[in-house]
Amino acid sequence: GEDVEQSLFLSVREGDSSVINCTYTDSSSTYLYWYKQEPGAGLQLLTYIFSNMDMKQDQRLTVLLNKKDKHLSLRIADTQTGDSAIYFCAERDSSNTGKLIFGQGTTLQVKP
Amino acid sequence: EPEVTQTPSHQVTQMGQEVILRCVPISNHLYFYWYRQILGQKVEFLVSFYNNEISEKSEIFDDQFSVERPDGSNFTLKIRSTKLEDSAMYFCASSETRSRRITEAFFGQGTRLTVV
């Protein structure tokens, strides 16, 4: 079945770049998403990329998609302590219902 | 900015009781979803709803669960007889369509359900 995998933890220093990686199995995914979850809060949509794109940039965020390897990454430039959160990768599955398959989330810890 | 709102933020219920979790999706959205996240685990899809009917449901969404859009704005998830393992954060989400394509899904803040 469809699956999305992420590493569980990443620690960086404030000001450094963070790169959070994700792999997925469904080659027919149309959209891939990054969500952010702060402690006790809901899922905030950060950005998404359509499967015919290789890269998308949005201010400090850069999403790279390698469709051949089914690999997605999120780069956060100049990481701030406010970026500390859990980051979820998700793929839209191939059905027409808009259902999302989530990874287990990567906890990003930003040290001052 | 429009947002998905969920109530209550936290619900504690006795095992075997019925609970109703409420959501108000973004007003021009047509697709509605419930997901749940058991503590420390992945966010899991429960059900999607479109045009006043369920369009897809997961194995988790058994006969104990039901969804309803009782009026033009609310979208509810009912759990008929709660079990301890139903304790989780429940997220509602909604999506619009552009050019017949479902676009991004926006999530509510979640309802933390604790079954005791």
Side-chain angles (χ1 to χ4, degrees):
Chain A
E2 300 142 338
D3 195 21
V4 178
E5 294 291 331
Q6 301 176 238
S7 53
L8 293 181
F9 187 77
L10 176 67
S11 181
V12 300
R13 292 232 170 258
E14 195 173 17
D16 287 350
S17 290
S18 308
V19 179
I20 302 171
N21 294 300
C22 170
T23 56
Y24 60 96
T25 56
D26 186 357
S27 56
S28 58
S29 292
T30 52
Y31 288 89
L32 295 125
Y33 302 83
W34 284 104
Y35 285 87
K36 176 183 180 183
Q37 185 181 37
E38 295 182 30
L43 296 168
Q44 176 197 352
L45 177 65
L46 282 180
T47 187
Y48 66 96
I49 189 166
F50 189 48
S51 57
N52 69 352
M53 298 168 66
D54 298 324
M55 185 181 91
K56 181 178 179 181
Q57 187 144 7
D58 184 1
Q59 299 181 330
R60 291 191 298 121
L61 305 179
T62 304
V63 178
L64 294 178
L65 175 60
N66 181 329
K67 205 172 175 186
K68 175 175 164 287
D69 294 339
K70 297 179 197 155
H71 182 267
L72 182 75
S73 67
L74 174 70
R75 180 176 180 269
I76 306 172
D78 186 25
T79 314
Q80 303 297 307
T81 53
D83 295 323
S84 294
I86 302 175
Y87 290 81
F88 290 93
C89 168
E91 62 167 349
R92 163 105 63 75
D93 85 339
S94 49
S95 70
N96 284 329
T97 62
K99 167 186 164 187
L100 297 178
I101 309 294
F102 282 85
Q104 61 269 59
T106 299
T107 298
L108 175 65
Q109 179 189 68
V110 183
K111 295 179 182 174
Chain B
E1 188 174 317
E3 58 181 15
V4 176
T5 56
Q6 290 185 243
T7 53
S9 55
H10 190 192
Q11 171 106 35
V12 181
T13 189
Q14 296 258 341
M15 196 168 55
Q17 294 295 304
E18 174 184 286
V19 293
I20 297 176
L21 309 183
R22 300 179 194 281
C23 169
V24 179
I26 295 173
S27 63
N28 63 335
H29 287 189
L30 299 178
Y31 286 83
F32 314 116
Y33 312 87
W34 284 101
Y35 290 79
R36 79 171 184 193
Q37 185 184 28
I38 294 171
L39 191 63
Q41 296 187 24
K42 288 187 180 187
V43 177
E44 302 172 289
F45 168 79
L46 291 177
V47 65
S48 59
F49 192 86
Y50 171 71
N51 201 25
N52 282 321
E53 60 182 23
I54 290 173
S55 49
E56 186 175 358
K57 59 184 181 179
S58 72
E59 291 173 355
I60 304 164
F61 194 88
D62 62 21
D63 292 343
Q64 292 298 313
F65 291 89
S66 62
V67 288
E68 199 177 28
R69 189 153 161 83
D71 52 42
S73 59
N74 289 285
F75 179 53
T76 61
L77 174 70
K78 184 194 288 186
I79 309 175
R80 261 180 271 285
S81 177
T82 48
K83 303 190 269 291
L84 293 175
E85 54 264 38
D86 293 327
S87 295
M89 181 74 94
Y90 288 80
F91 292 107
C92 174
S94 67
S95 300
E96 64 172 325
T97 59
R98 289 183 215 134
S99 302
R100 299 185 183 178
R101 278 187 180 168
I102 302 170
T103 58
E104 60 267 44
F106 292 91
F107 283 74
Q109 294 295 97
T111 293
R112 180 163 297 286
L113 176 66
T114 303
V115 182
V116 296

